[in-house]
Amino acid sequence: MDREDIVIIGGGICGLATALALHRKGLKSVVLEKSETLRECGVVISILTNGWRALDQLGVASKLRPVSFPVFGFHDIVLDNGSERRTPASKEEIRSFRRIHLIETLAKELPEDTIRFGCQVSAITMDRDSSYPVIHLDDGTIIKSKVLIGCDGAFSRVAEYVGLKPVKHYSMAVVRGLTNYPTGHNISEKMFTRTRKGNVMVGRIPMGENLVYWFVSMRSPTKDSTVLKDLDMKNLAKEAVKDYPSETVNMIEQCDINSLHFNNLHYRPPWNLFVENFSKGNVIVAGDAKHVMAPALGQGGSAALEDSVVLARCMAQKMIVEGLEGEQQHQKTINWGKAELAFDQFLKERRSRVWWLSLNTHIIVSLSQHASSKAIRFLCIFFLIALFRKPLWDVQYNCGRL
Ligand SMILES: Cc1cc2nc3c(=O)[nH]c(=O)nc-3n(C[C@H](O)[C@H](O)[C@H](O)COP(=O)(O)OP(=O)(O)OC[C@H]3O[C@@H](n4cnc5c(N)ncnc54)[C@H](O)[C@@H]3O)c2cc1C
């Protein structure tokens, strides 16, 4: 049996950011990732002001700004009634960039051998004598760790171990991709444009002079995304936008077929975020494993980055014991028995933040899902106005110092 101090399952945004945050605080960890290489997990990501605050704390924001494209606000258009609204955000830091830049940048800052690829975790059990978690890999390897952090996404094995209910799925899906315009896209506004018609929404962000990132959210045609080939994704997106203006149809028609991704949308119900227990002994979940939400606010990745900073801070504060020993040598020891206290602190700090993000997201998605029901639309709009009237309320959050 292998032994490790801190094991993180999942080498996505949350797992790598958490490993980096712990490293910055002097805590060594190992990341187990099932893929054979770093995974892009999508094509482009937008990080909002709150996410940049977390990236600053992780010490990587300055490496990502040069490869990112600023977005100066949101332009919402409803084709059903011809209404339009612009929400300028020039005072906020909203930037979009290729996801792989984020993943690679986080990975490069980690000590060598932190990430172990090809490690698919199949089960987690508890060691009866020590109560420490025991991690079982598909290839038969068994690892005993003192602390286990589950950053393994929506269908998390660690969430199962901790006792969380399975995530739910919306009847909505998203196709996203990139379109290159060799002679320029001619989009003058550097805005995130969101155009709705019925229960279809098209998002569009210009990235430089030639490239446009787009997504189309629609009713999901299948629960099994593995059955979709690239062409199916393109046809799905084209079918969904057939009543949209020709520039939207052409954008999908001319897309780079290799850039296409399809995702069914999943969520952990906001009310569960208040009642469920996200840790068990020395095991905890973070990122999408804890609070997967639809990308309606574009906050899932930023929330995962916030989690990483707050979790590492709580662990360092509660678990690292510093003192002078022997010949006045500065000693740092780790009190593994304090992990549960650190997790309690982390969950206390994060609970209401992810609840509000999830609630706002859930209401927005419910509005699209039930576009034809007047009663549900009325309720959704009522709650959006009553609770989330302030534009960009979600980007004000500051996860604090690492
Ligand atoms: C269409 C779409 C658009 C989005 N756009 C944005 C956006 O613009 N901005 C934003 O902030 N967020 C966005 N999000 C949300 C964001 O992508 C997620 O919140 C973020 O990726 C969560 O990161 P994570 O590390 O928690 O989980 P994941 O990205 O799911 O990573 C989990 C990792 O764990 C690994 N893993 C899983 N199971 C195992 C196992 N058993 N053993 C070992 N490894 C395992 C996986 O291979 C993966 O690498 C979007 C989401 C979607 C679906």
Side-chain angles (χ1 to χ4, degrees), residues 5-285:
D5 285 346
I6 303 176
V7 170
I8 296 170
I9 303 182
I13 296 172
C14 191
L16 297 179
T18 303
L20 180 57
L22 290 171
H23 170 63
R24 300 276 193 238
K25 300 301 282 183
L27 292 166
K28 188 178 168 332
S29 66
V30 167
V31 178
L32 305 179
E33 167 56 46
K34 67 178 177 187
S35 309
E36 296 297 333
T37 54
L38 289 174
R39 281 184 71 224
E40 197 184 11
C41 303
V43 53
V44 166
I45 191 161
S46 298
I47 295 292
L48 312 177
T49 315
N50 52 302
W52 286 101
R53 289 191 187 109
L55 289 171
D56 270 322
Q57 291 303 314
L58 292 168
V60 293
S62 60
K63 298 191 169 73
L64 289 165
R65 285 189 180 102
V67 293
S68 66
F69 298 92
V71 175
F72 295 117
F74 298 86
H75 182 187
D76 288 294
I77 304 167
V78 182
L79 292 177
D80 302 301
N81 59 15
S83 67
E84 275 191 51
R85 190 176 71 161
R86 282 188 170 75
T87 312
S90 45
K91 290 195 184 124
E92 301 300 337
E93 183 168 22
I94 303 175
R95 291 170 175 273
S96 304
F97 51 92
R98 301 257 184 166
R99 279 181 181 242
I100 196 69
H101 288 314
L102 176 55
I103 293 289
E104 281 181 356
T105 304
L106 293 168
K108 266 187 205 148
E109 296 288 310
L110 290 170
E112 239 177 81
D113 302 331
T114 301
I115 313 173
R116 295 190 197 156
F117 292 106
C119 294
Q120 166 109 31
V121 174
S122 51
I124 295 144
T125 55
M126 187 200 280
D127 179 73
R128 287 229 180 114
D129 299 331
S130 62
S131 299
Y132 283 149
V134 179
I135 302 149
H136 303 257
L137 304 191
D138 257 8
D139 64 5
T141 308
I142 297 176
I143 305 169
K144 187 168 161 187
S145 71
K146 292 177 182 157
V147 163
L148 172 60
I149 305 172
C151 301
D152 45 346
F155 304 99
S156 163
R157 291 274 177 204
V158 187
E160 261 171 47
Y161 170 83
V162 164
L164 299 184
K165 293 198 180 112
V167 296
K168 293 184 177 291
H169 61 266
Y170 290 113
S171 56
M172 305 292 289
V174 176
V175 176
R176 48 192 162 155
L178 291 166
T179 301
N180 185 38
Y181 297 83
T183 55
H185 48 58
N186 293 327
I187 301 171
S188 51
E189 274 186 328
K190 289 181 179 166
M191 300 276 257
F192 183 171
T193 307
R194 298 179 288 206
T195 311
R196 286 163 218 270
K197 187 169 187 345
N199 52 23
V200 173
M201 183 170 89
V202 178
R204 185 191 74 182
I205 302 176
M207 298 184 59
E209 298 306 315
N210 302 90
L211 204 60
V212 175
Y213 165 63
W214 56 263
F215 66 81
V216 180
S217 84
M218 63 190 89
R219 278 210 170 278
S220 175
T222 169
K223 281 188 186 166
D224 181 8
S225 52
T226 55
V227 300
L228 287 165
K229 299 274 179 300
D230 292 343
L231 196 61
D232 299 325
M233 294 183 210
K234 182 171 167 181
N235 288 339
L236 268 180
K238 264 172 63 182
E239 175 61 25
V241 304
K242 64 179 189 305
D243 298 329
Y244 273 66
S246 59
E247 57 170 18
T248 306
V249 180
N250 292 340
M251 178 174 76
I252 313 278
E253 184 57 58
Q254 291 165 27
C255 72
D256 169 5
I257 200 98
N258 296 317
S259 71
L260 296 179
H261 280 75
F262 173 90
N263 293 87
N264 279 312
L265 299 184
H266 299 94
Y267 69 108
R268 197 171 288 291
W271 37 98
N272 284 11
L273 294 174
F274 256 108
V275 294
E276 288 197 285
N277 229 335
F278 294 92
S279 67
K280 179 170 154 187
N282 281 16
V283 180
I284 192 159
V285 283

